[in-house]
Amino acid sequence: MHFALISKILGLLLVVFSFTMMPPVAVAYLYRDGSEGPFLVSFSISMLLGLALWLPFFRQRAELQVRDGFLVVTLFWSVLGVIGALPMLISEAVPVGFTDAVFESVSGLTTTGATVLSGLDELPKSMLFYRQQLQWLGGMGVIVLAVAILPMLGIGGMQLYKAEIPGPMKESKLTPRIAETAKALWYVYLAITIACALAYWLAGMTLFDAICHSFSTVSTGGFSTHDASMAYWNSTPIDIIATAFMLIGGISFALHFAVWRGKTLLAYMRDPECRFFLGLMLLYMLMVGGGLLVFGIHEAPGEATRHAAFQVASFGTGTGLTSTNAAAWPGYIPLLLVFTSFIGGCAGSTAAGMKVVRAALVFRHSIRELRRLIYPNGVFALRFGKHVVNDRVLQAVWGFVGVYITLSVIFTLLFTMTGMDLTTAVSAVAASINNLGVGIGQVGGGFANITDEAKWMMTVLMLLGRLEIFTFLVLFTPLFWRQ
Amino acid sequence: MHFALISKILGLLLVVFSFTMMPPVAVAYLYRDGSEGPFLVSFSISMLLGLALWLPFFRQRAELQVRDGFLVVTLFWSVLGVIGALPMLISEAVPVGFTDAVFESVSGLTTTGATVLSGLDELPKSMLFYRQQLQWLGGMGVIVLAVAILPMLGIGGMQLYKAEIPGPMKESKLTPRIAETAKALWYVYLAITIACALAYWLAGMTLFDAICHSFSTVSTGGFSTHDASMAYWNSTPIDIIATAFMLIGGISFALHFAVWRGKTLLAYMRDPECRFFLGLMLLYMLMVGGGLLVFGIHEAPGEATRHAAFQVASFGTGTGLTSTNAAAWPGYIPLLLVFTSFIGGCAGSTAAGMKVVRAALVFRHSIRELRRLIYPNGVFALRFGKHVVNDRVLQAVWGFVGVYITLSVIFTLLFTMTGMDLTTAVSAVAASINNLGVGIGQVGGGFANITDEAKWMMTVLMLLGRLEIFTFLVLFTPLFWRQ
Ligand SMILES: [K+]
Ligand SMILES: [K+]
């Protein structure tokens, strides 16, 4: 392990992160909400800590190795999670202790969007902006993680995407490649966010709300500046825009990049994961929309379609914005929505969950097993698009899915030990490990009232989910720390 | 497909099955309960139907092929499920319609033990005996299925056990091998049942109850002759005997056979699946027993141990006998118990669920994936006891586990559509697909009050679970029926 190098990188990240305290300061001055103080203090702490970690090692020239990657990525999200909590912890306008502040900050950075706050509409504008910005930064971080880093770490079969990474290909040297990739993806992410903000603005939001909600839509984060979330506007055009951009956020940004470079929308239809994703979304929408009509929640098919599409896009991509009180829909519908978040969005998107590509591979593999029972000596290759998926990738996918489901079941039990009923416990697991953020049952109205133990468990699950489980888990094996 | 041969085999099975109506007739005469009529009628119907299927083809000399096996096995359990319902449907002492009668019969034959009846203590003795006998026959059937047939069909990785089947080894010819294996296992099953019945009798049960409960204990079936199940006696010795024989029923009967032949109990400890199974049971017992003490349900550690051990053995092996009202235990405990049934007992036992060997392989595989992340070029063989598990077996296991979990989730949603809450729906799925039989939540007191749709879904799930999913599922692929 190159600890000196890791310290240098982490320090550099903190220095860069400290500058993200500046836009909220600007917002504070602009709206004269008097809340610039906490951000300036947090800026200083983050900057000083970053310099302290960076300067002693700034001459370090060693190359980052694949194995160091696990530690850097985990430290990156956990340290920024704690540092990101500072403004809320310091500010007197936000009545939170350490547990709640870290919960909220990690929830932001992991694009989870679960909140312990209420009375959002009364918070200082700068604080609202800061929360939304955390999500946007987290979304950018996760795209780089998913597109540039995880394929090289080989997590959960993501080596499948090694060849598709934009930028130069140098297997053993992480740094230049990540930088190149990040730059390419940055433009795409920024362009889509601007388009989303413009659309919201034209549809009637204030410019402030339009920008804030574009941050939490494209990042599939789900924070809002209003307690009522998108239901605050109750506007069909706004719901349609949100639905579209949540779906866009759930598609691989490497694919968006390819579409932008190739100048043809057909690339979406040629991508097997994207096709599978859109097919799933359509299926869910039919099941939810049909249910709304059958149960008579919406009599007009148009309204049923609007809310079904919005909520399916929101749960299915793990965004967690709400257009209506879906937790109160009858019977199976809220549960179905919660379950959709376990599959989640595409690899390389801002969405979390197990990822569509893995679900698709698991599905095709099961079909193949059925075929093999009938023709025990037959040879059936597993194809995904133009790839033939090799056994090594498939085993990694299965390992990932197995650990994901096992952890979900174990934490469901642990949550029931904190006094939750089963629906609430399942909902809390989905909200955190799938970075979904929104709950049903006793947490339908937010996570302020769960126990501190439950909040910490959710915080860990948010990180686990965002770091694709294994990045985090591998640090707990003795083998990792052996020379 | 050799339809003529399949008809001959099925006919023969029905003829044999018709004779199982005779012991209840004897019981009816013995206790003068006046209920011999329904059994005699059922005997005639089963016999005539059997002869009608058998006689036209009794000169058939074709060999049964592996592929025919799927159809024979599925028909075997479904046809006997319907025919087995006749006595209850005909008898006026049992107030059930077609749905309930088939539910109860399939529940018996699949060793599920979920019941729609109440007032058991008032039923004719012959009918009580018949229900218990259904379970015992089902248990015998499933041992032969698991030990002799599934390894050859290659279901869910069970080809792992191909080499361990007692009896002569002739790959392509199913019939002589199944007969040899069945004979060996029959003696073991009978001996264990007699031991169990004697123990119950010595502990204070009437001879009738001792025999009846030995049938449903060793088969991990869970039917009882009393509404209160084993709590009827509230006897520590009886609870200990039941716990021991449920655990024995959860261990492979091929292993029992090996122990009997090798005359050393050490064979249990040398078997990797058995070790894993006993380790899991111990872990569950600590979690449940600890919970009972913490929540103050039992103040005496002895009582906590007794009930924790009993209920863990009952849920963990999917037996479903009850020593106390475990559904009313607080918090996480009933859920934990229900979840244990998804892993279930060992392959080759009478217990259902996904099987310990598969859980163990999934667990080891996940550990291996963690290792591979750290050493991407390392070669890590997956061992299970003396076997090196090849990739083909592992893929079959994963395919099985994936389909099992997916079906469980889908049916949980379907059950909530029939009006169940989530806890009840999860419980109904576990009770049926894991052949567990006992429920918590709204079905804590039995399954009489669920909708007919739910009863039919459970009936299908019982068969799916008992036939290891794929035996049944493969019949629904067009590929299976192609020439
Ligand atoms: K989210
Ligand atoms: K059972």
Side-chain angles (χ1 to χ4, degrees), chain A residues 189-377:
Chain A
Y189 189 61
L190 185 66
I192 292 175
T193 308
I194 292 173
C196 180
L198 278 175
Y200 277 144
W201 189 44
L202 291 172
M205 284 191 188
T206 65
L207 188 59
F208 179 78
D209 274 343
I211 292 172
C212 282
H213 284 87
S214 72
F215 283 179
S216 63
T217 306
V218 176
S219 67
T220 65
F223 272 159
S224 175
T225 57
H226 302 284
D227 286 334
S229 188
M230 303 305 257
Y232 175 83
W233 289 276
N234 190 16
S235 146
T236 304
I238 286 179
D239 282 0
I240 291 172
I241 293 163
T243 304
F245 280 93
M246 288 190 283
L247 291 176
I248 288 170
I251 293 170
S252 168
F253 281 75
L255 183 57
H256 292 315
F257 181 76
V259 166
W260 173 69
R261 228 173 21 182
K263 313 215 182 308
T264 166
L265 288 171
L266 275 177
Y268 290 121
M269 277 300 121
R270 277 193 221 111
D271 184 77
E273 187 181 16
C274 184
R275 270 206 311 270
F276 207 98
F277 169 70
L278 295 174
L280 269 181
M281 291 292 140
L282 199 64
L283 177 70
Y284 298 151
M285 284 176 195
L286 290 174
M287 287 164 74
V288 172
L292 293 181
L293 291 174
V294 169
F295 284 105
I297 305 299
H298 293 288
E299 310 238 313
E303 279 295 277
T305 306
R306 167 186 157 194
H307 288 298
F310 185 102
Q311 292 304 143
V312 163
S314 179
F315 278 84
T317 64
T319 306
L321 290 167
T322 48
S323 67
T324 180
N325 187 7
W329 280 346
Y332 71 96
I333 305 180
L335 271 178
L336 171 64
L337 287 171
V338 165
F339 283 148
T340 67
S341 72
F342 279 95
I343 293 182
C346 301
S349 74
T350 56
M354 284 186 274
K355 304 291 178 310
V356 172
V357 57
R358 295 200 183 95
L361 289 178
V362 163
F363 180 74
R364 299 233 172 124
H365 174 70
S366 299
I367 300 285
R368 179 170 67 161
E369 284 304 313
L370 271 175
R371 291 219 176 105
R372 275 177 168 169
L373 286 178
I374 302 167
Y375 295 113
N377 302 317

Side-chain angles (χ1 to χ4, degrees), chain A residues 365 372 392 395 398 416, chain B residues 332 365 372 392 395 398:
Chain A
H365 174 70
R372 275 177 168 169
R392 187 65 201 76
Q395 287 177 14
W398 276 117
T416 62
Chain B
Y332 70 96
H365 174 70
R372 275 178 169 166
R392 187 64 202 75
Q395 287 177 15
W398 275 117

Side-chain angles (χ1 to χ4, degrees), chain B residues 107 110-114 135 216 219-223 314 317-321 350 431 434-438 466:
Chain B
S107 175
T110 58
T111 78
T112 302
Q135 298 225 298
S216 63
S219 67
T220 66
F223 272 159
S314 178
T317 63
T319 306
L321 290 167
T350 55
N434 301 337
N435 299 139
L436 167 59
V438 70
R466 191 72 287 184

Side-chain angles (χ1 to χ4, degrees), chain A residues 16-60:
Chain A
V16 172
F17 184 70
S18 69
F19 288 104
T20 67
M21 300 292 172
M22 286 304 147
V25 171
V27 171
Y29 280 116
L30 198 65
Y31 287 94
R32 300 178 214 286
D33 68 7
S35 273
E36 62 280 1
F39 297 105
L40 291 171
V41 175
S42 305
F43 166 80
S44 315
I45 295 175
S46 179
M47 174 65 83
L48 290 175
L49 191 62
L51 292 175
L53 286 168
W54 180 27
L55 288 182
F57 306 109
F58 86 107
R59 284 178 187 283
Q60 266 295 332

Side-chain angles (χ1 to χ4, degrees), chain B residues 215-404:
Chain B
F215 282 0
S216 63
T217 306
V218 176
S219 67
T220 66
F223 272 159
S224 176
T225 57
H226 302 284
D227 286 334
S229 189
M230 304 304 256
Y232 175 83
W233 289 276
N234 191 19
S235 146
T236 304
I238 286 179
D239 282 0
I240 291 174
I241 293 164
T243 304
F245 280 94
M246 288 191 283
L247 292 176
I248 289 171
I251 294 171
S252 166
F253 280 75
L255 183 57
H256 292 315
F257 181 75
V259 167
W260 174 70
R261 228 174 17 184
K263 313 214 184 304
T264 166
L265 287 171
L266 276 176
Y268 290 120
M269 276 301 122
R270 278 195 221 108
D271 183 78
E273 187 182 16
C274 184
R275 271 206 312 273
F276 206 97
F277 169 69
L278 295 174
L280 269 180
M281 291 292 139
L282 198 64
L283 177 70
Y284 298 151
M285 284 176 196
L286 290 174
M287 290 166 72
V288 172
L292 293 181
L293 291 174
V294 169
F295 283 106
I297 305 300
H298 294 288
E299 311 238 312
E303 280 294 278
T305 307
R306 167 186 157 193
H307 288 298
F310 185 102
Q311 292 305 144
V312 163
S314 178
F315 278 84
T317 63
T319 306
L321 290 167
T322 49
S323 67
T324 180
N325 188 5
W329 280 347
Y332 70 96
I333 304 180
L335 272 177
L336 171 63
L337 286 172
V338 165
F339 283 147
T340 66
S341 72
F342 279 96
I343 293 183
C346 301
S349 74
T350 55
M354 284 186 272
K355 304 291 179 307
V356 172
V357 58
R358 295 200 183 96
L361 288 177
V362 163
F363 179 74
R364 300 234 170 125
H365 174 70
S366 300
I367 301 285
R368 179 168 70 162
E369 283 305 312
L370 272 175
R371 292 219 175 105
R372 275 178 169 166
L373 287 177
I374 302 167
Y375 295 113
N377 302 318
V379 175
F380 303 95
L382 197 72
R383 293 186 163 276
F384 194 66
K386 55 192 178 192
H387 301 281
V388 171
V389 180
N390 70 45
D391 283 354
R392 187 64 202 75
V393 167
L394 203 61
Q395 287 177 15
V397 167
W398 275 117
F400 181 88
V401 170
V403 170
Y404 203 98

